[in-house]
Amino acid sequence: FQDISEDRAREAARLQAERSNELLRNAAGVYVWRFNPRKGVYVFDQDIPTPSAPEGGARTMTIAEMTLSIHPDDRARVWQAFSRTLHTGEHVEIDYRYLDPGAEAWIHLHVAWRGVRGSSPEAFDVIGITQNVTELVAARDAALAAAEAKSQFLANMSHEIRTPMNGVLGMTELLLTTALTPKQRSLAKTLHRSGTGLLDIINEILDFSKIEA
């Protein structure tokens, strides 16, 4: 009876772990995995889409499948970091592009892994967690684009206003060199001071837009 109870407890724990992993995958796009260097395969804790099973249902990926799934421009950087972990157990966090076999589109992943002693005396096993951050990357890029557009607008606005303002100040300075009545000279000086103050504000706006850019 004790053995049966223990078996049931282990099965319940396994099912609970699978449900938790499924919730992680669905809610946050998170996958938990382990790499076995002796077999050369990645073993996932939940069903995943792979190049050989794009609709999902697989729990393993070969090195060849993983390599083909990583963007060509990112492969060398990823494998250099992964190789270090295999030999030293180093903890690594890295971002790279990955070909989603279901959507047939490149997505952005944030991956963390570290080495643990396991099946091979020559190399570390690697345990890791992968999160799909495509939406976060898109939101970041949109925010950067919006900030750039705002900075460009401020710069353009400042230039458009500063050019005619310099003309007004120049003409006011010429006016002050001519014969004017005391009242006219006072008005011209007030105009020049006001224009100079406004130009200072415009220059500060332009400088601020450069800093933001």
Side-chain angles (χ1 to χ4, degrees):
F1 290 109
Q2 183 177 358
D3 291 343
I4 294 175
S5 298
E6 290 178 353
D7 289 343
R8 287 178 176 175
R10 282 194 293 268
E11 180 63 14
R14 184 185 67 80
L15 292 174
Q16 181 60 41
E18 287 188 355
R19 284 194 291 268
S20 298
N21 286 330
E22 189 68 17
L23 285 173
L24 273 175
R25 183 176 70 84
N26 292 333
V30 172
Y31 295 88
V32 179
W33 50 269
R34 183 179 185 119
F35 177 76
N36 184 323
R38 293 185 65 183
K39 297 181 179 179
V41 296
Y42 296 81
V43 180
F44 290 81
D45 283 358
Q46 65 267 58
D47 291 347
I48 60 166
T50 68
S52 57
E55 300 303 319
R59 292 207 171 193
T60 61
M61 280 186 73
T62 65
I63 290 181
E65 287 179 320
M66 183 64 75
T67 299
L68 290 175
S69 298
I70 297 173
H71 194 282
D73 293 343
D74 298 335
R75 284 174 191 163
R77 178 171 56 87
V78 172
W79 288 124
Q80 285 172 2
F82 198 77
S83 178
R84 290 199 308 271
T85 300
L86 284 173
H87 289 93
T88 67
E90 177 185 342
H91 172 85
V92 171
E93 290 195 29
I94 194 168
D95 295 313
Y96 59 84
R97 290 159 291 179
Y98 177 88
L99 184 60
D100 184 335
E104 295 185 350
W106 294 106
I107 60 175
H108 292 265
L109 300 181
H110 178 76
V111 187
W113 65 64
R114 66 180 178 86
V116 293
R117 284 301 179 187
S119 58
S120 172
E122 289 83 21
F124 285 87
D125 281 21
V126 181
I127 57 173
I129 185 168
T130 298
Q131 183 176 13
N132 185 344
V133 294
T134 303
E135 292 184 0
L136 294 176
V137 171
R140 179 202 64 191
D141 291 346
L144 291 174
E148 174 63 24
K150 183 182 73 173
S151 297
Q152 191 60 47
F153 169 77
L154 289 173
N156 291 340
M157 180 188 70
S158 298
H159 283 300
E160 292 294 332
I161 298 175
R162 187 167 61 175
T163 299
M165 184 55 64
N166 282 326
V168 170
L169 290 175
M171 293 303 294
T172 306
E173 290 171 359
L174 288 175
L175 180 62
L176 288 169
T177 64
T178 63
L180 300 172
T181 66
K183 184 175 182 179
Q184 290 172 333
R185 185 169 298 278
S186 175
L187 291 174
K189 286 182 178 179
T190 300
L191 175 61
H192 191 272
R193 285 196 302 273
S194 299
T196 301
L198 181 57
L199 184 61
D200 288 341
I201 294 174
I202 294 170
N203 287 332
E204 288 177 1
I205 292 174
L206 181 59
D207 290 341
F208 178 73
S209 69
K210 288 180 179 178
I211 292 172
E212 279 205 330

